Amino acid sequence: MPSAPDSPLPLPTLDDLDVENRRVFVRVDFNVPLKGTEVRDDSRIRATLPTIQRLRERGARLILASHLGRPDGAPDPKYSMEPVGARLAELLDCEVRLPDEVVGDGVTKLVLDTRAQQIVLLENLRFHPGETKNDPGFAQALASLCEAYVNDAFGASHRAHASVVGVPRLIGARAAGLLLAAETSALGRVVHRPEHPFVMIIGGAKVSDKLPVLIATLDRLRAGDSILIGGAMANTFLAARGVELGASLQEPDRLTDCRSLLTRAEARDIRVLLPGDLRVGRGLKADAARVVRVADDVVDPAEMALDIGPDTETRFAAAIRGAKMVFWNGPMGLFENPLFAGGTLAIARAVGDCPGFTVVGGGDSVAAIQDSGAADRIDHISTGGGASLEMIEGQTLPGVEALLTPLGRSN
C-alpha cells in the first residue's frame, strides 16, 4: 500500500453530486454485533444516518450495501442483513426493502422500481465470493445498479474489496459520505498538521499490532511530545527494561523492537511513559485485584498485570492535560472486567478534560469514552478501528484512493 501524500487531497463531496431521482449506491459500514436476530449495538448504523438523510432530502433513490461478519463467500442466514434493515427502518421511520440476494435479476428489478427517497439494502456483500476478491465481474454487477456512488464506510476503506474500490472506479459520479469525510479530515489533521505538545496514548494486547503506528508517529513527534503506553502491550516494554511480570502477557520476540523505540525516543527527548504501578490478578478471570509498584514489588508467578495502577493514572492524566493534540487507541487494561477497567476510564476522563484537539478510536477506547460521560467533549470519535490506525500510520486507504482515481484506472 502506498504512503500517504504530504498533505491530504480534497475528496469529492456529496455537494458535488447530482442525485435527484438518481440511483445512488452507498457503501456503508453496517458490520454491527448481533444478539440473535437483533442488533446489539447500532452505533455504526447511526453514524451514517446523516449521509442517508442528506441524500434522501435531495431525492436520491438509495441502494445501501455492507458486509456483516465473515460468511466466507456464501449465504449464511446468521449473517443476513435482515436485522440491520429492521433497525435502520426504525431509526429512519421508513420502509427499507431487502432483497434475498446481493446481485441478480430480482435485485435489479427491485432497484429499478425504487422511487426517490426510497431505500434498498442489499443482502450481505460477503455472501458473494467476488466481494473480498475484488472480482471485476462482481464489481460491474454492483455498478450496473447505480448512477452515482458514495463511500461512507470508513471502517471498511482499508480493504481493497469490490464494493470499496472496484465499483467507484467504474462510476464517474462519486463522492465521500459525511462520515468518511469527517474521519479523513480529523485523522488527516493528526497526521499532516500535528500540534505540540502532542500526546499519543496506545493500549491493547499486542505490541506487534501497534508497532507500525508507533514508529510512524515517533517520526512526526518533537522534543517534549509524549507516548503513553498501557494495556498488555506495556508488559513487553516493561520486560524490555528488565521488569519481571509473572504470568503477564508478553511478546518476547518484540523486546528488541521495544528497546529500539525507547532508545530512539530518548535520543530525541520524546517521553515514553510506561506504567509505574499495576493492578494485577490471578488470570484473565481474576475476581480480585491488587496494586503493585513496578520498581520494588514482586508480581507473583501466577499473577498477571491487567490494568495500570492509580499512580500511573495520575501521571498519564497530567501529560494529557498539557497536550494540544491527543490521539488515543486501545484500552489500558482488561476493560471488560470492572476490576480492571479503572485505568481505561481514568484515561477517558482525562482525554475528555483535555483542552486540545482530541481523537479517539478503537472499540474499548470508544466504549470507555461513552461510559465515562466524556463523549460530547471529544473532538472526533473514530468508527474505523484498523482503518484509523492505517491512516495514522500514514497509509493511503484503498477506498479513499479509489474516490480520487481517474475513471477506469485500476491504480
Side-chain angles (χ1 to χ4, degrees), residues 129-139 160-167 169:
E131 168 65 359
T132 57
K133 296 176 182 177
N134 191 20
D135 176 71
F138 182 57
H161 292 173
S163 64
V164 176
V165 301
V167 177
R169 287 172 177 163

Side-chain angles (χ1 to χ4, degrees), residues 262-284:
L262 292 170
T263 299
R264 288 178 57 197
E266 184 178 8
R268 296 176 51 204
D269 198 22
I270 295 165
R271 297 189 304 167
V272 177
L273 302 186
L274 300 176
D277 61 337
L278 299 160
R279 292 182 176 94
V280 302
R282 292 183 174 272
L284 296 176

Side-chain angles (χ1 to χ4, degrees), residues 319-340:
I320 294 165
R321 279 196 302 272
K324 289 188 178 179
M325 181 174 279
V326 172
F327 176 79
W328 176 26
N329 183 286
M332 297 293 100
L334 191 66
F335 180 67
E336 59 268 32
N337 184 333
L339 287 172
F340 304 103

Side-chain angles (χ1 to χ4, degrees), residues 144-161:
S144 69
L145 298 173
C146 66
E147 298 161 283
Y149 174 91
V150 172
N151 185 352
D152 210 34
F154 178 75
S157 289
H158 61 316
R159 305 295 188 195
H161 292 173

